Amino acid sequence: MKKTLLILSILLFLSCGSYYKMANFYNAHKNDDKVTAVQVPRFMFAVLKGLSPEMNSVLGNVNDLRFIQLQPQDQPEERTIQAEINQLTNERFTDIFRKNDEFKRTLISVREVGTSIREVIVHKTSGGKHTVLYLNGNFNPATIRDYAETGKFDNLTQSLTQQYLWNTTAPKSF
């Protein structure tokens, strides 16, 4: 009995350890060449929520927001990034939207807990760039479905990058 319990405990521990998290992906790539990476601190949520009522509705319950745009230098690096995204979204996530064109791909995956969505990953490839938007919080499934169907995640990404570029290019005054 003790051996069975020990073996089950080890298997449970190993299965939990295989979960690849967005934080791992983000940290592995944030210092790569030609990368734009943004992890929004909590105080910035107030600024982003103020951009529009829609932005306020989707960011109202966000705990973590990360954005990273990668530009792989060659095919092996491209395949590696794609494999990491697949690993990230294959475990514990459900694809709610996927569109594969010849040179453009869009994937929206969610992780559900009960009747709410806790994590959203939006991955787009276009023009040799991989763009990943990650949201962690407590989301209404209808809102996430609406954002996925109408392309509003693109607006969120654009607003985030505009806010980021504004913060890095604005003149500093002390």
Side-chain angles (χ1 to χ4, degrees):
M1 179 68 175
K2 287 183 181 181
K3 286 183 181 180
T4 304
L5 186 57
L6 179 64
I7 290 171
L8 288 174
S9 297
I10 291 172
L11 289 174
L12 178 64
F13 177 74
L14 291 175
S15 68
C16 292
S18 69
Y19 180 44
Y20 190 61
K21 296 179 180 178
M22 181 61 189
N24 298 356
F25 178 82
Y26 183 87
N27 289 331
H29 292 287
K30 68 183 180 184
N31 293 316
D32 290 357
D33 190 31
K34 296 184 181 180
V35 165
T36 301
V38 178
Q39 181 175 2
V40 178
R42 290 188 114 355
F43 74 89
M44 284 296 293
F45 284 127
V47 172
L48 292 172
K49 288 176 188 177
L51 294 176
S52 72
E54 285 182 343
M55 196 71 86
N56 188 32
S57 73
V58 80
L59 295 178
N61 297 317
V62 173
N63 299 323
D64 187 10
L65 190 152
R66 296 172 195 227
F67 168 84
I68 189 164
Q69 187 173 65
L70 305 133
Q71 296 182 37
Q73 303 300 310
D74 52 28
Q75 285 292 32
E77 190 176 350
E78 170 90 20
R79 284 190 294 272
T80 299
I81 290 170
Q82 188 62 53
E84 289 176 354
I85 293 293
N86 289 340
Q87 182 182 10
L88 185 64
T89 59
N90 283 344
E91 293 187 34
R92 301 181 187 184
F93 280 82
T94 302
D95 294 353
I96 62 168
F97 180 83
R98 182 182 290 267
K99 183 175 182 182
N100 296 330
D101 287 335
E102 188 173 348
F103 298 107
K104 294 168 73 174
R105 293 174 183 237
T106 302
L107 168 66
I108 301 173
S109 290
V110 298
R111 186 176 70 80
E112 301 169 289
V113 176
T115 60
S116 68
I117 293 175
R118 298 302 172 123
E119 294 178 82
V120 179
I121 295 176
V122 180
H123 175 231
K124 297 185 85 155
T125 59
S126 179
K129 293 180 183 178
H130 287 261
T131 303
V132 181
L133 175 67
Y134 170 78
L135 301 165
N136 179 304
N138 189 5
F139 307 102
N140 180 333
T143 302
I144 298 302
R145 185 181 65 236
D146 177 54
Y147 267 64
E149 290 174 350
T150 60
K152 290 180 183 175
F153 282 115
D154 291 337
N155 297 343
L156 178 60
T157 301
Q158 288 174 346
S159 295
L160 180 63
T161 54
Q162 286 173 352
Q163 184 66 33
Y164 167 76
L165 292 174
W166 177 81
N167 282 336
T168 60
T169 59
K172 306 283 188 223
S173 61
F174 296 98

